[in-house]
Amino acid sequence: GAGVSQSPSNKVTEKGKDVELRCDPISGHTALYWYRQSLGQGLEFLIYFQGNSAPDKSGLPSDRFSAERTGGSVSTLTIQRTQQEDSAVYLCASSQLGTGELFFGEGSRLTVL
Amino acid sequence: SQQGEEDPQALSIQEGENATMNCSYKTSINNLQWYRQNSGRGLVHLILIRSNEREKHSGRLRVTLDTSKKSSSLLITASRAADTASYFCATEVGGNTPLVFGKGTRLSVIA
């Protein structure tokens, strides 16, 4: 597709379960970002992939969170043993190296009961 | 940690009025960007201003940057009801670092 695609758009899970969120960036974009947005709040940086460089994981809130990017394209954010405070919208964005502009997906809304 | 902070947190104006939102940041930057977010949607890039630029225009948008005060403003002229959204500033500190977003300003334009 032409834009950043995220799935699922909505996920309801029980506390303690694992979830996987997927991001399909714009073709050719070398950089991929994950952010988290709680209700009515700003964006909290989670992790950043740039080309073949080691990802910047400095924003991951705990070791329950991990992400990978396969083949420099699709990325999966995994949250293990989900907690209620993990409930938020998880936003993925991609960009071309050097342009600065981020293109965002519509987000995955996670609700942990 | 939050690099940029927008002010005000919320703004309500009448259609046709101008809306001004401000952003302050803490460290030196490469560029500053403004994004818009409609309720329940992803963010959309509006404008990017580099650290060596002072003012930039795009349609009804005007962005200024004052690096000595570490602040930026976004002016939307002749506002429309469709401008109702949250507006975020984001700063890039270095060439290979992620954008850091503020908490946003919620703008309501009343028809």
Side-chain angles (χ1 to χ4, degrees), chain A residues 93-108:
Chain A
S94 68
S95 72
Q96 282 184 313
L97 183 64
T99 63
E101 176 182 352
L102 267 60
F103 292 81
F104 280 84
E106 295 294 316
S108 291

Side-chain angles (χ1 to χ4, degrees), chain B residues 73-90:
Chain B
S73 67
L74 170 67
L75 169 67
I76 304 174
T77 60
S79 64
R80 305 166 182 168
D83 294 329
T84 295
S86 290
Y87 292 83
F88 295 88
C89 70

Side-chain angles (χ1 to χ4, degrees), chain A residues 33 35 37 40-43 45 48 50 53 56 58 91 97-107 109, chain B residues 2 31 33 35 37 40-45 48 50 88 92 95-104 106:
Chain A
Y33 310 74
Y35 290 88
Q37 185 177 32
Q41 298 297 308
L43 276 68
F45 165 71
Y48 164 52
Q50 175 57 274
S53 303
D56 178 350
S58 61
L91 292 162
L97 183 64
T99 63
E101 176 182 352
L102 267 60
F103 292 81
F104 280 84
E106 295 294 316
R109 181 177 297 278
Chain B
Q2 221 74 33
N31 68 67
Q33 304 178 35
Y35 288 78
Q37 183 181 36
R41 306 296 298 274
L43 278 74
V44 175
H45 180 265
L48 180 155
R50 301 193 186 283
F88 295 88
E92 182 186 285
N96 207 30
T97 57
L99 281 186
V100 179
F101 285 80
K103 293 187 177 181
R106 290 188 311 279

Side-chain angles (χ1 to χ4, degrees), chain B residues 51-103:
Chain B
S51 60
N52 61 354
E53 297 177 309
R54 292 297 167 256
E55 187 170 312
K56 212 162 181 182
H57 297 253
S58 177
R60 292 184 296 112
L61 305 180
R62 182 171 78 100
V63 168
T64 61
L65 179 65
D66 186 334
T67 53
S68 67
K69 294 181 180 178
K70 292 187 170 58
S71 68
S72 172
S73 67
L74 170 67
L75 169 67
I76 304 174
T77 60
S79 64
R80 305 166 182 168
D83 294 329
T84 295
S86 290
Y87 292 83
F88 295 88
C89 70
T91 52
E92 182 186 285
V93 174
N96 207 30
T97 57
L99 281 186
V100 179
F101 285 80
K103 293 187 177 181

